[in-house]
Each structure stands twice: as C-alpha cells, then as structure tokens.
C-alpha cells in the first residue's frame, strides 16, 4: 500500500538514522508524497538536495531537541544493531538513552506523532515462534543485549503514548533486505567470496524466518504515521511488519548466491558446533579486539540461534489497523536485491 493522504499543507517529517539503509528508503518515500523532510544522523551523507540534513548524535539531548522542534511526525529509526555480547554501554546509550532523548524532545516540542522502529526480536528468547502475533509478551530473557535494549525502548515509547500531546506507536520489522542493504546480503556475499560459506548450520527440519523487503517496511511506517491520531486504534500499539512469506535462511542464501556466481553450501554442521565456534569468536572479539561494532560475520551466538529456530510472524494486525499489505513479494524482492548487487559489481568475476 502507499500513503494516500492529501493534507492542505506540506507535512514536516524528521527521520532519525535517515542516512542508513532503511532510513534512506523512508526519506525517499516521504519526499515523494510531498513532505518537508529533515534527516538527523551522526554521519551525514547528503544525497538529496531537497532534504535538510542535521549532523548530530541522538545521545546529545540538546541537539536532538533543536532538530526535532517544529515537526509534525518523527520516524525514529536510529539504533545500534550489534548482537554480540560486548560494547554493552554503547548499545544501551544509543538504543535506550538515545530513544529517551527523542521521546522527550517530541513531548517538549509538541510533536503530535512519533513512530518507533522496533524489532521482532523484542519477543524472541531463542526458542521457536511460529506465526507469532502481538499478543506475545516481551521475552523474559534475550539471546543478545541488542534485543533487550529494543524491548526497553519500545516499552517506554508505547507507555508514553498521549503524554504531553505526543501519540506513539511501534513497528516491528524482521530481517529487512533489498537495494541498499548494508548487513544481510553483503555479509552473505563477503563470506562466500572468502570461502567461508561452505557449511550450512543445522540438521534436520528447516527452520523458517521472516524476511521483509525494505519498501514494505516503509509502507508500514508511513501508514502508521498517517493513522496515528486520536480515536484510531493505532496509538500505543506495536505492529509486526513482514512479507508474510517465511523461508529458511539457507533457502534465502540458495536463491541469492548462484545468480551472483557463488555456490551455496552443500554440507551441514550441527548447531552445537556452530554455536560453540561463535562463542569462541565472540570471546576473541571481546578480549582481543575490544568488541568490534562490525557485522556479525555469521558467527555471533545470536545469529546462530536465529538460523536454527523458527521465528516468523503474522502481519494481520497491521493489515487490519494500518491497511498494510506487502506490495513487493519475496521473489521480486530477491531479484531486486540481486540486481542491486550486480550494479555494485558484487558478482563473482
């Protein structure tokens, strides 16, 4: 679905993390519907001349306050995605304290709407979830501190709904991919290119996961912002946003690699061996490298758990309340991601 409202004046929207993968797609969609758009990010890449860019850290409350003042809607997508068990203070500072700064600035500036980009991992404790919905409670424990910080931030955002005139809601995308992706497909290609993707993890039953095409997430975000008004069912609610076409991680890999000239893994190893290797790698990363903030390189314990458990969700509530229907299906989305990789010269030569 697409945004369809026709306001009498241009809406003014701010996107935190607007220079990132998802953030750029949100910005493009907001500009396309006629919004005046501001991007708040700690590293600015001003790729559009019709957008106002503010270089600031969301951990700086004064800078956040100055940037947010005067906007109609804030889409808060900035976060530190780091699933290893290190650099905890930094992860908490960005994902929790930074979110508190954004919420406080919205309330103090009288911003009417705040849409928070949460994560499906707020309900994931490492065990199977099949077609989960929003009735699931927050997980009692988390396989990675990142997921716990997203849970804390989401809960505070939703509890603050309506306070000082700011209505809030949260969307929970799951494994976002598509053109511009900086994590999922690039990590898969990097390991394949280095010859480190010879084994798939897990024996027996294929475990299914949701994958969500980036513009589908954007559709859900914009729809949430449009319907975030008094009297609607949206304020104070969380919504899973997915493609609704779960597949195993290794089936996803098998569709991405061959068109780019790489061979998918043919052999499998037990989860226990991969999990042990991930634990060793994380210990090395923490104690020798000081806790790097790069991608997981396929060897975080969190990533191994994700690959070897069911975790897929229903977007029925989003369809009911937001009118959300995934416009781009998985087959088309994967082809778009492959085409983007070819354009970047990521195919094997």
């Amino acid at each position: 679905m697409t945004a369809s409202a026709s306001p009498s004046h241009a809406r003014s929207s701010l996107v935190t993390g607007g220079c990132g993968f998802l953030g750029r797609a949100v910005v493009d969609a907001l500009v396309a519907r006629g919004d005046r758009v501001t991007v708040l990010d700690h590293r600015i890449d001003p790729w559009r001349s019709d957008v106002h860019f503010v270089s600031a850290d969301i951990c700086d409350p004064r800078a956040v306050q100055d940037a947010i003042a005067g906007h109609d809607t804030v889409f808060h997508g900035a976060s530190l995605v780091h699933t290893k068990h290190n650099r905890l203070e930094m992860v908490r500072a960005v994902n929790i304290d930074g979110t508190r700064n954004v919420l406080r600035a919205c309330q103090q500036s009288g911003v009417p709407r705040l849409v928070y980009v949460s994560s499906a991992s707020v309900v994931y404790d490492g065990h199977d979830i099949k077609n989960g919905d929003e009735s699931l409670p927050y997980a009692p424990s988390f396989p990675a501190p990142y997921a716990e910080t997203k849970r804390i931030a989401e809960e505070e955002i939703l509890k603050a709904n309506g306070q000082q005139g700011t209505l809030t809601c949260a969307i929970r995308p799951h494994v976002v991919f598509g053109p511009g992706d900086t994590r999922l497909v690039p990590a898969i290609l990097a390991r394949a290119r280095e010859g480190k993707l010879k084994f798939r993890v897990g024996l027996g039953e294929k475990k299914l996961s949701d994958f969500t095409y980036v513009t589908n997430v954007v559709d859900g975000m914009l729809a949430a912002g449009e319907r975030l008004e008094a009297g609607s069912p949206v304020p104070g609610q969380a919504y899973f946003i997915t493609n609704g076409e779960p597949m195993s991680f290794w089936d996803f890999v098998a569709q991405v690699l061959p068109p780019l000239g790489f061979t998918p893994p043919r052999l499998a190893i037990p989860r226990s061996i991969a999990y042990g290797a991930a634990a060793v790698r994380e210990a090395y990363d923490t104690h020798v490298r000081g806790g790097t903030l790069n991608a997981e390189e396929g060897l975080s314990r969190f990533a191994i758990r994700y690959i070897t458990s069911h975790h897929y969700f229903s977007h029925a509530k989003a369809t009911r309340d937001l009118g959300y229907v995934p416009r781009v299906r998985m087959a088309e989305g994967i082809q778009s991601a492959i085409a983007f990789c070819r354009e970047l010269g990521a195919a094997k030569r």
Side-chain angles (χ1 to χ4, degrees):
M1 63 156 290
T2 58
S4 58
S6 298
S8 58
H9 67 282
R11 286 168 287 198
S12 179
S13 298
L14 180 140
V15 182
T16 71
C19 289
F21 166 41
L22 176 59
R24 284 177 178 248
V26 175
V27 169
D28 288 341
L30 290 171
V31 172
R33 79 173 187 184
D35 286 27
R36 291 185 292 110
V37 181
T38 299
V39 166
L40 169 63
D41 208 315
H42 71 296
R43 286 185 293 187
I44 291 300
D45 175 17
W47 80 98
R48 297 190 67 122
S49 60
D50 51 0
V51 168
H52 177 52
F53 291 88
V54 176
S55 177
D57 189 338
I58 62 170
C59 295
D60 181 346
R62 180 58 184 271
V64 172
Q65 177 77 48
D66 291 345
I68 282 177
H71 289 86
D72 301 319
T73 306
V74 170
F75 296 91
H76 177 35
S79 69
L80 182 54
V81 182
H82 178 70
T83 63
K84 299 174 185 176
H85 290 258
N86 54 41
R87 305 300 288 272
L88 306 186
E89 291 185 3
M90 182 175 291
V91 175
R92 291 182 65 87
V94 173
N95 295 352
I96 299 176
D97 297 336
T99 296
R100 288 170 177 164
N101 290 337
V102 171
L103 174 60
R104 190 178 305 113
C106 287
Q107 293 171 334
Q108 293 177 351
S109 300
V111 175
R113 293 171 291 274
L114 170 59
V115 178
Y116 175 60
V117 182
S118 184
S119 167
S121 64
V122 299
V123 299
Y124 178 69
D125 65 358
H127 297 92
D128 287 347
I129 298 177
K130 300 179 181 180
N131 206 38
D133 62 24
E134 290 81 358
S135 67
L136 288 170
Y138 289 127
S141 61
F142 297 89
Y146 163 75
E148 184 175 15
T149 63
K150 296 297 284 187
R151 190 276 299 169
I152 292 170
E154 181 192 283
E155 187 173 26
E156 292 188 10
I157 288 282
L158 297 182
K159 283 184 176 179
N161 175 57
Q163 295 178 10
Q164 300 183 50
T166 299
L167 300 177
T168 66
C169 68
I171 68 156
R172 298 170 173 174
H174 193 272
V175 190
V176 184
F177 76 101
D181 171 20
T182 57
R183 290 182 65 85
L184 178 63
V185 174
I188 292 171
L189 291 178
R191 290 188 65 79
R193 188 174 293 109
E194 295 166 4
K196 297 179 180 178
L197 202 59
K198 297 179 179 180
F199 300 91
R200 63 181 184 273
V201 179
L203 306 176
E205 178 189 13
K206 286 186 176 180
K207 299 294 186 174
L208 303 182
S209 170
D210 276 315
F211 295 83
T212 316
Y213 190 70
V214 61
T215 59
N216 291 338
V217 180
V218 174
D219 285 347
M221 291 174 63
L222 268 61
E226 287 186 345
R227 290 158 176 77
L228 192 53
E229 56 186 19
S232 85
V234 177
Q237 297 297 308
Y239 296 93
F240 289 112
I241 301 292
T242 75
N243 258 62
E245 302 173 87
M247 65 170 59
S248 79
F249 173 79
W250 299 109
D251 283 346
F252 182 86
V253 169
Q255 291 190 42
V256 169
L257 288 184
L260 295 172
F262 298 97
T263 302
R266 296 191 176 95
L267 304 175
I269 59 173
R271 164 180 161 152
S272 58
I273 293 177
Y275 193 83
V280 171
R281 183 61 178 266
E282 281 192 58
Y284 172 80
D285 182 71
T286 299
H287 300 297
V288 178
R289 303 167 75 186
T292 56
L293 291 173
N294 58 345
E296 289 78 5
E297 301 166 320
L299 280 176
S300 75
R301 286 171 287 176
F302 182 83
I304 298 302
R305 284 191 173 189
Y306 247 42
I307 291 170
T308 57
S309 63
H310 291 293
H311 46 99
Y312 57 93
F313 304 86
S314 168
H315 59 69
K317 181 180 175 183
T319 298
R320 183 193 70 208
D321 292 355
L322 307 179
Y324 169 76
V325 176
R327 288 187 295 130
V328 180
R329 308 308 295 171
M330 282 298 296
E332 179 186 352
I334 289 173
Q335 290 306 309
S336 294
I338 291 169
F340 178 77
C341 290
R342 285 201 184 105
E343 289 177 6
L344 290 183
K348 188 175 182 179
R349 299 178 179 178

